[in-house]
Amino acid sequence: MAAARGLFRHCPLLLPQDRRGTAYEGFVTAQGRDFHIRILLPVDFQLKNARIECSWRLKKILHGYRHTLKQRLHSCPDLVSFMVELKTVLEIALKNTQDLHIPRPPEYYSCLVRDLEILGWNKVAYVDTGLTTVRLKAEDSCGRQHLITLKFNAKYPTEPPDCLVDFPVPFAVSWMPQNSLIDIYNQFLAALESLKEFWDALDEIDGKTWVLEPENPTRSATTRRIAIGNNVSVNVEVDPRHPNMLPECYFLGADHAVNPLRTKLNNNMHLWDPEISLLQNLRELLEIDFPSRAVLEKSDFAKDCGICYAYRLDGMAPDQVCDDPRCGQPFHQACLYEWLQGLPTSRQSFNVIFGECPYCNK
């Protein structure tokens, strides 16, 4: 009886459907809204084996919280505790999706449609059916295509929309209640131009060298792993705010191959010229010509791991190379670490493990 009173206190609209107390049906209330629910308990009243049925609307709201609710079913001692947990999760879920349920005033739609008409429908790439998400397209001065996604809340234009862009730096909108979509669009265009030199530098690298990683770089990606030779590459991280300055460079490959490159970079740092392109600077400082895309194929540099026989493992290319000049076999770090851990002859010092090459035993 105490359990029944506790359940009635927390969920007065959820009523028992049988004498044994194994079936309950009714409504759970959160944020002033009622949602239909039915709970079926096994004869031993173990919550972990309970079955929960609910309306499609509640199921949709809780879709992303199914794992959490399953954990609660396993950990809660009784139905009352679970219903308290369920209501808490439901409150959080509703708060995260409340914009989808708040009816928007007519002024919201008239204002948004007017702004889109003034901006021009030719700049619109996508609009959802509820007029809550709009994607705009723009072209920078070099002809690159860019998108900005705007997610509106019901208080627009008093509050600005959330803006999602593929930028390497944060994009913050300056907004006043009297502003419109045109102001956001103009700020978007200005931001594109401020990043022009950064994208110019990376586009030249993408177009004139063999980039091993990332495979399909986004506009927000600031790093490029550039092939230099067989199992030798340099990872370059470019500062998007200062793209003409010397980037961070990390060489990957066998010591006998990368040590001379490190020495050249250190000795020639003073020659860096911000007036010429980043790629040309790298050529002159390292005193090399990067392998040409016109002459060689990516497969000439993209060697498979000597352990798993694949090039990509969880999206990563092989980045460890045997130091023996006669071997030079590349491996994924994860594969090599697991291999060396299994060898009785390997030794480990802190987070570094030492052992024989799986290929040449050096």
Side-chain angles (χ1 to χ4, degrees):
M1 288 297 290
R5 283 196 298 269
L7 186 62
F8 182 77
R9 186 169 64 251
H10 290 287
C11 301
L13 301 180
L14 187 65
L15 303 174
Q17 301 298 301
D18 60 5
R19 291 179 178 272
R20 293 177 299 171
T22 57
Y24 291 83
E25 188 168 3
F27 298 88
V28 58
T29 304
Q31 290 195 3
R33 299 173 61 198
D34 296 329
F35 299 93
H36 184 258
I37 190 169
R38 188 166 181 245
I39 300 172
L40 302 175
L41 298 173
V43 291
D44 58 3
F45 297 99
Q46 291 293 313
L47 282 179
K48 63 181 180 181
N49 297 319
R51 183 179 172 188
I52 299 175
E53 300 172 352
C54 57
S55 65
W56 67 268
R57 185 175 285 105
L58 180 58
K59 189 175 181 180
K60 186 176 180 181
I61 293 170
L62 294 175
H63 178 73
Y65 300 85
R66 291 172 64 184
H67 182 67
T68 303
L69 290 174
K70 193 172 286 188
Q71 286 182 325
R72 298 293 191 272
L73 275 173
H74 280 258
S75 60
C76 287
D78 51 48
L79 183 59
V80 178
S81 303
F82 173 71
M83 291 308 298
V84 172
E85 295 274 8
L86 175 62
K87 289 184 70 172
T88 302
V89 172
L90 182 55
E91 291 279 352
I92 295 170
L94 285 171
K95 200 170 291 183
N96 290 337
T97 57
Q98 60 183 348
D99 281 352
L100 301 177
H101 305 287
I102 294 176
R104 289 151 198 255
E107 296 79 14
Y108 166 86
Y109 297 102
S110 60
C111 179
L112 183 54
V113 171
R114 184 195 68 231
D115 283 358
L116 288 171
E117 287 180 346
I118 295 172
L119 180 65
W121 289 99
N122 60 318
K123 296 182 177 68
V124 178
Y126 167 82
V127 180
D128 71 339
T129 54
L131 276 181
T132 59
T133 302
V134 175
R135 192 168 296 128
L136 304 176
K137 56 187 176 181
E139 194 175 276
D140 63 26
S141 58
C142 292
R144 289 179 285 250
Q145 298 291 325
H146 302 271
L147 294 171
I148 178 170
T149 301
L150 309 175
K151 292 186 176 293
F152 297 87
N153 62 41
K155 295 180 181 179
Y156 179 83
T158 306
E159 294 181 3
D162 291 330
C163 302
L164 307 174
V165 293
D166 189 11
F167 282 3
V169 295
F171 176 65
V173 172
S174 176
W175 184 263
M176 299 288 286
Q178 64 268 26
N179 287 148
S180 67
L181 283 188
I182 297 173
D183 297 290
I184 293 180
Y185 194 75
N186 288 336
Q187 291 177 53
F188 179 53
L189 292 176
L192 292 180
E193 288 311 301
S194 71
L195 292 165
K196 175 185 177 301
E197 291 183 348
F198 168 74
W199 285 322
D200 285 347
L202 292 184
D203 280 356
E204 184 182 18
I205 290 174
D206 292 338
K208 294 183 178 179
T209 70
W210 281 116
V211 174
L212 303 180
E213 293 181 285
E215 197 168 21
N216 297 300
T218 62
R219 288 294 176 195
S220 60
T222 59
T223 61
R224 295 293 189 274
R225 182 179 167 194
I226 310 169
I228 295 177
N230 190 17
N231 298 328
V232 184
S233 59
V234 59
N235 197 73
V236 175
E237 180 154 2
V238 184
D239 185 344
R241 300 187 190 278
H242 306 285
N244 294 325
M245 303 305 290
L246 177 65
E248 289 188 31
C249 298
Y250 174 69
F251 294 96
L252 297 103
D255 286 344
H256 73 274
V258 302
N259 284 340
L261 294 170
R262 290 195 189 102
T263 302
K264 288 177 183 176
L265 181 64
N266 292 330
N267 291 342
N268 296 334
M269 264 185 200
H270 65 284
L271 299 176
W272 187 272
D273 183 0
E275 298 301 318
I276 63 176
S277 75
L278 186 150
L279 183 59
Q280 185 59 33
N281 268 307
L282 288 175
R283 286 195 189 106
E284 295 186 6
L285 265 64
L286 298 177
E287 300 174 12
I288 60 170
D289 278 325
F290 289 99
S292 169
R293 295 175 67 94
V295 178
L296 297 167
E297 297 294 327
K298 189 173 182 178
S299 57
D300 295 323
F301 313 102
K303 302 297 183 183
D304 293 343
C305 170
I307 295 174
C308 72
Y309 302 109
Y311 180 62
R312 296 211 170 268
L313 177 68
D314 296 331
M316 301 296 292
D319 58 355
Q320 305 294 313
V321 179
C322 176
D323 282 332
D324 191 301
R326 292 168 297 180
C327 178
Q329 175 64 43
F331 306 96
H332 294 115
Q333 183 171 329
C335 293
L336 190 58
Y337 186 77
E338 188 175 342
W339 174 278
L340 293 176
Q341 272 195 319
L343 293 180
T345 54
S346 297
R347 60 187 178 85
Q348 188 161 351
S349 175
F350 297 101
N351 63 335
V352 180
I353 190 166
F354 303 86
E356 298 175 352
C357 172
Y359 252 61
C360 67
N361 297 326
K362 296 291 183 182

